[in-house]
Amino acid sequence: MNQANQPIGIFDSGVGGVSVLAQAHALLPAEDFLYYGDNAYAPYGVRSHSQVMERVRWVAGHLLDQGAKALVIACNTATSVAAAELRAELDLPVIGMEPALKPASLCQNGGHILVLATPMTLALPKFAALMERYGQRAVPLPCAGLVEFVERDELDSDALHDHLAYLFGDWPQKPIDAVVLGCTHYIYLRRAIAAFFPATPLLDGNLGTARQLERLLAERNLLRAGHRQGTLTLETSGDAKIIIPLMQRMLHII
Ligand code: DGL
């Protein structure tokens, strides 16, 4: 069996990682992808460390059982909790995510950099290390409750606008050089968030993650050869009748 012909496993707590799937598929069109949204357990960010670890292990095992040649953790929160452990345990590429603070730190106009992410992502040591290196002007802004809007397919509503206004407080009136979308769900709120910061770049880590996937597959001779159109298989622990059509639509929003 040629391992390069095996699919890439990619997962998130829910629908947010579909934005990463879309980016990776665009970069690596010949690859087959298996996507798992753990929607029944979303959001991860309000769970305990051990609960998230347990879910990540289960989902990773599920994708490996189907022959995944690499794993993409399309979730900043799950990466912070579980990437190091998975890498230590598995002999295959494990690609994680982190808030795009490094590229954001290059946006220098005398203002702050707002880092939007789940409370859990911002509280864990991985983010502290990132802040240490690139965070001189960064302000971490925990965004409790935002993932739930995306899971409900509520990407543009008065309630969403009110919640964002509450989270942002008076930051939209202050000098901001960049806003980091440090949770893959927030990619789908780009328009709603941009309405508060109209002249500010909103940065995410999706392209960087897709490129890292390509690099690690190339290093191990695992890139699939040939001009073929790869397949995308979508799975969820949630209500498939609702979630799969939502994921299919979200694939095309990006
Ligand atoms: N998409 C996940 C992330 O990037 C959402 C986390 C959650 O489920 O709380 O952080």
Side-chain angles (χ1 to χ4, degrees), residues 7-250:
I8 295 163
I10 171 166
F11 65 96
D12 177 34
S13 61
V15 294
V18 173
S19 66
V20 185
L21 172 64
Q23 186 82 68
H25 176 56
L27 187 69
L28 303 168
E31 300 287 346
D32 293 335
F33 288 90
L34 302 173
Y35 181 85
Y36 195 90
D38 201 12
N39 302 71
Y41 294 85
Y44 280 172
V46 298
R47 295 182 182 278
S48 70
H49 196 278
S50 62
Q51 279 177 320
V52 176
M53 195 67 226
E54 193 180 312
R55 285 312 300 164
V56 168
R57 276 189 206 289
W58 187 88
V59 175
H62 177 71
L63 293 170
L64 294 174
D65 285 347
Q66 295 174 74
K69 65 181 175 184
L71 290 178
V72 180
I73 311 175
C75 175
N76 294 265
T77 309
T79 299
S80 307
V81 171
E85 280 89 336
L86 286 190
R87 286 191 187 114
E89 289 166 12
L90 300 172
D91 182 23
L92 83 182
V94 176
I95 294 88
M97 304 208 63
E98 69 183 16
L101 187 51
K102 183 179 172 188
S105 68
L106 302 174
C107 301
Q108 298 198 11
N109 223 353
H112 294 284
I113 294 165
L114 278 188
V115 186
L116 316 183
T118 66
M120 189 181 267
T121 295
L122 298 178
L124 287 169
K126 192 172 189 306
F127 183 71
L130 193 65
M131 281 292 281
E132 188 77 25
R133 290 191 71 179
Y134 303 107
Q136 288 81 358
R137 292 173 297 126
V139 179
L141 204 66
C143 294
L146 262 197
V147 164
E148 288 89 331
F149 279 93
V150 182
E151 286 291 304
R152 286 198 300 270
D153 191 19
E154 197 176 330
L155 310 184
D156 177 18
S157 69
D158 289 344
L160 171 64
H161 182 90
D162 291 350
H163 191 70
L164 288 171
Y166 159 74
L167 291 171
F168 293 153
D170 58 1
W171 281 109
Q173 282 81 57
K174 296 183 182 170
I176 304 292
D177 292 347
V179 175
V180 175
L181 305 179
C183 166
T184 52
H185 281 74
Y186 304 169
I187 312 292
Y188 292 108
L189 301 177
R190 187 180 283 277
R191 282 238 315 263
I193 293 169
F196 288 83
F197 303 97
T200 309
L202 306 189
L203 305 180
D204 66 69
N206 283 13
L207 183 57
T209 299
R211 287 188 175 142
Q212 176 70 352
L213 168 65
E214 183 179 37
R215 261 193 301 274
L216 293 189
L217 290 177
E219 259 173 30
R220 296 199 186 201
N221 280 328
L222 285 176
L223 279 173
R224 186 156 184 159
H227 293 285
R228 66 188 288 276
Q229 190 55 34
T231 59
L232 304 182
T233 306
L234 303 171
E235 269 193 288
T236 175
S237 56
D239 183 346
K241 283 193 298 300
I242 295 172
I243 302 292
I244 301 297
L246 174 59
M247 287 177 174
Q248 279 160 342
R249 254 187 304 121
M250 285 181 155

